[in-house]
């Protein structure tokens, strides 16, 4: 939803699993703001340096220049106060400090558009996004396509073994899964099935 108001500020959140089009939607909204001749600044946490340090990049190769921040407070340091629209990608990596920063920006008349994961690799709400949703004027939940069955997918399935909350990676390390196909934690290694020695039942009948 595109909000149309006077010059009061607000918060828009785009949330969903990996591969669901959050970055694409963020870039689309920021491009529209630029077309409307608004002053735009885009930030992303330094943690996410998968593709490029100074731009946000979608899995479908849409790109937009961005400024790297090490924490939410740095948005205030790097902000040109003439900026009207503030885009934040991978907002889930910014921690609880994002909440007062986004609130302050919106209270100051800025349009804040934040994109981030709403759940983690175990399917749990991913702070601070749930709190940001409660404070936002507008919420968009994007869904990906389940890589197992093709249904709409709300989960980010981790494919590599790690108990860390944050393991930055893209294709190969994560895939989108629907509610039914999601396996919290690490999926059973079905890929090893081919290496299993054939059981008696599989063996060709002796002649
Ligand atoms: P996000 O920011 O949510 O991770 P992106 O905007 O970076 O998503 O990427 C979305 C694009 O990823 C889609 O337009 C599509 O080209 C591609 N893609 C790859 N895997 C999937 C999937 N399982 N479901 C949907 N889109 C996918
Ligand atoms: Zn599925």
């Amino acid at each position: 939803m595109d909000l149309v108001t006077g010059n009061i500020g607000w918060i828009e959140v785009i949330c969903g699993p990996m591969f669901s089009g959050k970055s694409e939607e963020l870039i689309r909204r920021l491009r529209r703001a630029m077309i409307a001749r608004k002053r735009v600044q885009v930030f992303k946490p330094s943690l996410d340096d998968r593709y490029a340090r100074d731009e946000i990049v979608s899995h479908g190769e849409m790109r937009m220049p961005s400024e790297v921040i090490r924490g939410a407070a740095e948005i205030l340091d790097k902000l040109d106060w003439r900026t009207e629209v503030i885009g934040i990608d991978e907002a889930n990596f910014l921690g609880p400090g994002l909440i007062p920063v986004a609130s302050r920006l919106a209270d100051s008349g800025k349009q804040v558009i934040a994109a981030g994961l709403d759940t983690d690799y175990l399917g749990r709400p991913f702070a601070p996004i749930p709190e940001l949703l409660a404070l936002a004027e507008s919420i968009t939940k994007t869904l990906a396509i389940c890589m197992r069955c093709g249904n709409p997918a709300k989960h980010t399935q981790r494919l590599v073994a790690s108990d860390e909350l944050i393991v930055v990676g893209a294709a190969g390390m994560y895939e989108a899964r629907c509610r039914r196909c999601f396996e919290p934690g690490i999926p059973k290694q079905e890929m090893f099935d081919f290496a299993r020695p054939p059981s008696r039942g599989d063996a060709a009948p002796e002649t």
Side-chain angles (χ1 to χ4, degrees):
M1 175 178 67
D2 289 319
L3 296 173
V4 180
T5 70
N7 48 6
I8 64 159
W10 69 83
I11 300 173
E12 297 170 39
V13 184
I14 304 161
C15 68
M18 280 180 72
F19 307 104
S20 64
K22 298 184 301 298
S23 300
E24 281 176 359
E25 178 60 17
L26 176 65
I27 292 170
R28 188 186 75 86
R29 291 187 194 183
L30 294 172
R31 287 211 175 124
R32 288 170 59 89
M34 289 168 186
I35 290 168
R37 299 187 190 286
K38 299 239 175 86
R39 287 176 180 268
V40 174
Q41 268 183 283
V42 191
F43 299 98
K44 71 167 194 180
S46 55
L47 207 63
D48 178 31
D49 57 0
R50 282 173 287 175
Y51 309 107
R53 287 193 59 80
D54 54 358
E55 35 180 26
I56 53 176
V57 184
S58 80
H59 293 105
E61 281 292 311
M62 281 172 71
R63 321 176 154 255
M64 178 170 280
S66 70
E67 297 174 60
V68 177
I69 47 170
R70 273 163 297 152
E74 231 176 279
I75 295 177
L76 300 178
D77 297 340
K78 295 198 164 168
L79 191 72
D80 176 342
W81 282 90
R82 292 171 302 175
T83 293
E84 299 160 278
V85 180
I86 296 145
I88 308 169
D89 203 8
E90 309 286 358
N92 52 287
F93 291 143
L94 289 172
L98 179 62
I99 301 300
V101 168
S103 301
R104 180 165 166 208
L105 292 170
D107 289 344
S108 313
K110 311 293 182 197
Q111 177 183 354
V112 180
I113 314 177
L117 297 169
D118 52 355
T119 60
D120 66 13
Y121 74 110
L122 295 175
R124 302 171 300 193
F126 202 150
I129 301 301
E131 198 174 342
L132 200 61
L133 294 176
L135 299 174
E137 272 81 359
S138 160
I139 300 167
T140 300
K141 181 141 175 166
T142 49
L143 297 174
I145 303 297
C146 175
M147 296 306 282
R148 281 295 159 97
C149 74
N151 275 305
K154 75 175 183 94
H155 284 293
T156 303
Q157 177 73 57
R158 186 177 284 179
L159 300 171
V160 294
S162 172
D163 293 332
E164 298 289 318
L165 173 62
I166 297 172
V167 177
V168 177
M173 292 178 79
Y174 292 95
E175 71 182 23
R177 297 255 186 115
C178 73
R179 178 186 290 276
R180 195 176 52 195
C181 299
F182 178 57
E183 299 169 79
I186 313 305
K188 290 163 220 83
Q189 296 285 1
E190 288 167 33
M191 63 186 83
F192 289 163
D193 285 359
F194 73 89
R196 223 178 27 187
S199 68
R200 267 175 198 277
D202 298 338
E206 283 173 35
T207 49

